[in-house]
Amino acid sequence: MVAARAGVSTATVSLVTSGKTAGRVSTDNIAKVEQAVSELGYVVDGLGSSLARGRSNIVILVAPDVSNPFFARVIDGVRSEIGAAFQLLLSVTEAGQMPTPAEVRTLLSLRPAGLLVDAPSAEFLAALPAAGPMVLLDTAGVESAAPSVNFDVAAGAVLLADHLAGLGHTTVAYLDSTTGTETFRVRREAFCRHARTLGMEVAAQAGTTIDVSAAAQAFAGAWPQWQRQGVTAVVCCTDTHAYGVLQEARVARLDVPGQLAVTGFDDLPYSETSSPGLTTVRLPAAELGRAAGRQLLRLLAGEELDGPGAAGRSLTLDSELVVRGSTASSAAPGP
Amino acid sequence: MVAARAGVSTATVSLVTSGKTAGRVSTDNIAKVEQAVSELGYVVDGLGSSLARGRSNIVILVAPDVSNPFFARVIDGVRSEIGAAFQLLLSVTEAGQMPTPAEVRTLLSLRPAGLLVDAPSAEFLAALPAAGPMVLLDTAGVESAAPSVNFDVAAGAVLLADHLAGLGHTTVAYLDSTTGTETFRVRREAFCRHARTLGMEVAAQAGTTIDVSAAAQAFAGAWPQWQRQGVTAVVCCTDTHAYGVLQEARVARLDVPGQLAVTGFDDLPYSETSSPGLTTVRLPAAELGRAAGRQLLRLLAGEELDGPGAAGRSLTLDSELVVRGSTASSAAPGP
DNA sequence: CTGAAAGCGCTTACAG
DNA sequence: CTGAAAGCGCTTACAG
């Protein structure tokens, strides 16, 4: 070990570089080591260090969809909490897929300090070996004993149904996602259940991937039928789907919200500036990331998550209805 | 080492798990080891293995903007080439930023088998310690001795200028990016130079981040002035910028392409289905990722990249002009 | 073909 | 306060 050439043992160097000098190293030696370290540009080797202490200082974030503006904000939230202490790395899988069991094993063999798992499927969790500290994000609808942070999407769906019913809509369509994530099932079921309670009919459902043009095409295909059924509002399971509907509505020269109201979930930045602005259920993405980061940090510090005074194993973040032009001034629809 | 309980030495087990049995292990022992491995669910520990061989089997992809549909396709390309042999991990930095020198050192201390660096700034490369195998992606305009794969964005810009001149445009505006990436400078300069050669005036330039609504606002602010100057086309440095312009043009009830032609760079999926479809310079993202992955694989195999028959250290992928409705039937603009 | 041994670069009890 | 030593889990010459 090069830095040992600064006149002390490797043990002392190790104590200094890992900051465990409290009452164990003389200030004299600390200074010597620090100088040698900076002279040699020495960096502690992550591999040796990790092997010796049993785990690395990386945190792996596993997610099905890395490139998605919504998820970008989640990542940013995570980074702002744990970035200083740990090296955050994203696992890369086939688009829209969770890692296979084999990939997970490879990941785990790097001995990450912790794991963050976004939007896991039930099968993924079942196949996941009980590894070290782990926090789940956005896992609505999936059972798990692991600590998790979620959005209250069901409450948002209820607010949305109230809003549409209040505007006089009686027949609506629901545009769902075809990715199997449970959160979409929860959104749909909560909305449909409450809508029926309010006397609204959810006339039809369709589903596409989370993609503007796929949603646009699906809407274009379904609209003639929906129109015949008297649909006056389309509730989309994500803002991205809603963008597709708005786009196609424009092509078809439909008046939004006069002839058709459109809503989404997420509140992506674009929803504020689209024309008309999109009424949507705001899901606080960055806060989700931050909360998950904090949970993991607590876990890593050995804190009990469910002890007295703790925030609890399972956190739920409030969602919120943001009303904009895509529903605001809806004309009262006919029967 | 647990698997040694299968009746052989750890050395033999290691030979089997790393697939180096050729003429060194009896088929009898291979079978025994394989059975023990599967019975015990043994996975080679990445840390110990990496430490012993001097490098890990992870490849780190460093990029300034992970969540961007264009980059998602690059990632997918990389994954398809190297995914089987290496664990691909994405470094996570503050949105739009390259990792700091300190972050890079931490990354490097994990001893990645190789590094892939997307859209690096000159400063980043200068600060990068000469590490192991590395391939640069999309590094147009930045000097470096490292192997790289690039788009021929300048050639695409020239095709675009030709196309607009052929349609009769004489005054155009350029909507640039404010992220400092060199590729944007190259796009702009190549376009402006050739446009002037063709007798077109590039009346005005503006810049925003790569964001639909930022671009929309910038266009809304600039349009009155541009209109006075006789601008009949807006050339955008990315499709995302162009979406903002299209959106705002719709709000302002501008006829595209009758009153205003709009173009982009990238050819994102949405450009095909937007209305009108977007004329754009197609940059083959997935192919960029694949080519970079292949280069890195060669480097890791110890191949010389510039030897005879090799593909060369520096690859350039052709860009291509895709003409769609946003320019197709432009009316001849007045003076 | 096989195993005992050294070593990868660190950290952490343990004596002093 | 400090250093010699053991050990983290593997791989790879090296003898046999």
Side-chain angles (χ1 to χ4, degrees), chain A residues 9 12 23-24 26 29 52 111:
Chain A
S9 75
T12 306
R24 331 246 255 103
S26 64
N29 274 344
R111 309 262 203 100

Side-chain angles (χ1 to χ4, degrees), chain A residues 11-182:
Chain A
T12 306
V13 172
S14 178
L15 254 17
V16 174
T17 55
S18 60
K20 292 179 181 162
T21 53
R24 331 246 255 103
V25 183
S26 64
T27 53
D28 197 33
N29 274 344
I30 295 183
K32 275 192 212 158
V33 171
E34 285 177 342
Q35 175 167 7
V37 163
S38 72
E39 279 176 8
L40 275 49
Y42 171 74
V43 179
V44 177
D45 182 88
L47 247 28
S49 169
S50 302
L51 184 57
R53 57 207 315 165
R55 64 172 173 79
S56 70
N57 79 324
I58 71 179
V59 166
I60 300 184
L61 174 50
V62 175
D65 187 12
V66 164
S67 57
N68 164 324
F70 184 75
F71 190 61
R73 288 158 64 208
V74 175
I75 295 177
D76 232 51
V78 171
R79 228 188 50 79
S80 72
E81 285 297 325
I82 73 159
F86 297 91
Q87 178 65 44
L88 182 62
L89 253 17
L90 280 179
S91 101
V92 177
T93 51
E94 203 168 340
Q97 301 294 301
M98 292 303 278
T100 62
E103 288 173 320
V104 170
R105 259 177 318 219
T106 309
L107 250 23
L108 254 27
S109 89
L110 292 173
R111 309 262 203 100
L115 224 52
L116 253 16
V117 182
D118 181 80
S121 60
E123 309 83 69
F124 177 80
L125 288 181
L128 192 63
M134 174 172 74
V135 174
L136 271 24
L137 291 74
D138 202 359
T139 174
V142 176
E143 291 297 319
S144 169
S148 61
V149 185
N150 288 292
F151 296 122
D152 191 358
V153 289
V158 165
L159 292 175
L160 192 55
D162 282 336
H163 173 64
L164 291 176
L167 289 172
H169 292 278
T170 56
T171 310
V172 304
Y174 193 94
L175 185 56
D176 205 356
S177 167
T178 49
T179 72
T181 328
E182 286 300 307

Side-chain angles (χ1 to χ4, degrees), chain A residues 150-296:
Chain A
N150 288 292
F151 296 122
D152 191 358
V153 289
V158 165
L159 292 175
L160 192 55
D162 282 336
H163 173 64
L164 291 176
L167 289 172
H169 292 278
T170 56
T171 310
V172 304
Y174 193 94
L175 185 56
D176 205 356
S177 167
T178 49
T179 72
T181 328
E182 286 300 307
T183 182
F184 294 123
R185 186 178 55 70
V186 174
R187 295 175 196 193
R188 185 189 64 237
E189 289 181 357
F191 177 81
C192 290
R193 192 176 320 116
H194 193 61
R196 287 179 184 128
T197 304
L198 295 169
M200 283 195 291
E201 191 182 346
V202 183
Q205 289 174 205
T208 73
T209 57
I210 307 180
D211 178 272
V212 173
S213 56
Q217 283 172 26
F219 174 73
W223 177 240
Q225 166 74 10
W226 287 355
Q227 190 167 23
R228 254 174 275 130
Q229 294 176 78
V231 166
T232 56
V234 178
V235 175
C236 303
C237 70
T238 75
D239 282 7
T240 302
H241 286 86
Y243 300 156
V245 173
L246 284 179
Q247 174 195 314
E248 193 56 34
R250 216 175 276 125
V251 171
R253 305 208 168 279
L254 287 171
D255 175 33
V256 175
Q259 287 174 272
L260 185 70
V262 180
T263 71
F265 272 86
D266 283 350
D267 196 25
L268 299 184
Y270 182 54
S271 299
E272 192 174 349
T273 57
S274 64
S275 64
L278 184 65
T279 292
T280 187
V281 176
R282 174 181 294 161
L283 270 18
E287 179 52 27
L288 184 81
R290 282 195 297 270
R294 282 193 297 267
Q295 291 276 74
L296 187 62

Side-chain angles (χ1 to χ4, degrees), chain B residues 106-124:
Chain B
T106 309
L107 250 22
L108 254 26
S109 89
L110 293 173
R111 310 263 203 99
L115 224 51
L116 252 18
V117 183
D118 180 81
S121 60
E123 307 83 70
F124 177 79

Side-chain angles (χ1 to χ4, degrees), chain B:
Chain B
M1 203 160 136
V2 259
R5 287 176 196 158
V8 297
S9 76
T10 63
T12 304
V13 173
S14 178
L15 254 16
V16 174
T17 56
S18 60
K20 293 179 180 161
T21 53
R24 334 246 254 101
V25 184
S26 63
T27 51
D28 197 34
N29 274 343
I30 295 183
K32 276 193 213 157
V33 171
E34 285 176 343
Q35 175 167 5
V37 163
S38 73
E39 279 175 9
L40 274 50
Y42 170 75
V43 179
V44 176
D45 181 88
L47 248 28
S49 170
S50 303
L51 185 57
R53 57 206 316 166
R55 63 175 175 78
S56 69
N57 79 325
I58 71 178
V59 166
I60 300 183
L61 174 50
V62 175
D65 188 11
V66 165
S67 57
N68 164 326
F70 184 75
F71 190 60
R73 289 159 63 208
V74 174
I75 295 177
D76 233 51
V78 171
R79 227 187 50 78
S80 72
E81 284 297 325
I82 73 159
F86 297 91
Q87 177 65 44
L88 182 62
L89 254 16
L90 279 179
S91 102
V92 177
T93 51
E94 203 169 339
Q97 301 293 301
M98 293 301 278
T100 62
E103 288 173 320
V104 169
R105 260 178 316 224
T106 309
L107 250 22
L108 254 26
S109 89
L110 293 173
R111 310 263 203 99
L115 224 51
L116 252 18
V117 183
D118 180 81
S121 60
E123 307 83 70
F124 177 79
L125 288 181
L128 192 64
M134 174 173 71
V135 174
L136 272 23
L137 291 74
D138 201 0
T139 174
V142 176
E143 291 296 319
S144 169
S148 60
V149 186
N150 288 292
F151 297 122
D152 192 358
V153 289
V158 165
L159 292 176
L160 192 56
D162 282 337
H163 172 65
L164 291 175
L167 290 171
H169 293 277
T170 57
T171 309
V172 305
Y174 193 93
L175 185 56
D176 205 356
S177 167
T178 48
T179 73
T181 328
E182 287 298 307
T183 182
F184 295 124
R185 187 178 55 69
V186 174
R187 294 175 196 194
R188 186 188 64 235
E189 290 181 358
F191 177 80
C192 290
R193 194 177 318 118
H194 193 63
R196 287 180 184 127
T197 303
L198 296 169
M200 283 195 291
E201 192 183 344
V202 183
Q205 289 172 206
T208 73
T209 57
I210 306 178
D211 178 272
V212 174
S213 58
Q217 284 173 26
F219 174 73
W223 177 240
Q225 166 74 12
W226 287 356
Q227 190 168 23
R228 254 174 276 129
Q229 294 176 79
V231 166
T232 56
V234 179
V235 174
C236 302
C237 70
T238 75
D239 282 7
T240 302
H241 287 86
Y243 300 156
V245 173
L246 284 179
Q247 174 195 314
E248 193 57 34
R250 215 174 277 123
V251 171
R253 306 205 169 279
L254 287 171
D255 175 33
V256 176
Q259 286 173 273
L260 185 71
V262 180
T263 71
F265 272 85
D266 284 349
D267 196 26
L268 299 183
Y270 182 54
S271 299
E272 193 174 348
T273 57
S274 64
S275 64
L278 184 65
T279 293
T280 187
V281 176
R282 174 182 293 160
L283 271 18
E287 179 53 25
L288 184 81
R290 283 194 298 269
R294 282 193 297 265
Q295 292 276 73
L296 187 61
L297 247 22
R298 282 199 206 99
L299 237 34
L300 294 178
E303 268 182 56
E304 285 303 319
L305 251 31
D306 30 29
R313 302 182 67 75
S314 194
L315 255 44
T316 302
L317 306 180
D318 284 341
S319 52
E320 176 189 356
L321 182 67
V322 181
V323 176
R324 299 203 181 91
S326 70
T327 62
S329 56
S330 174

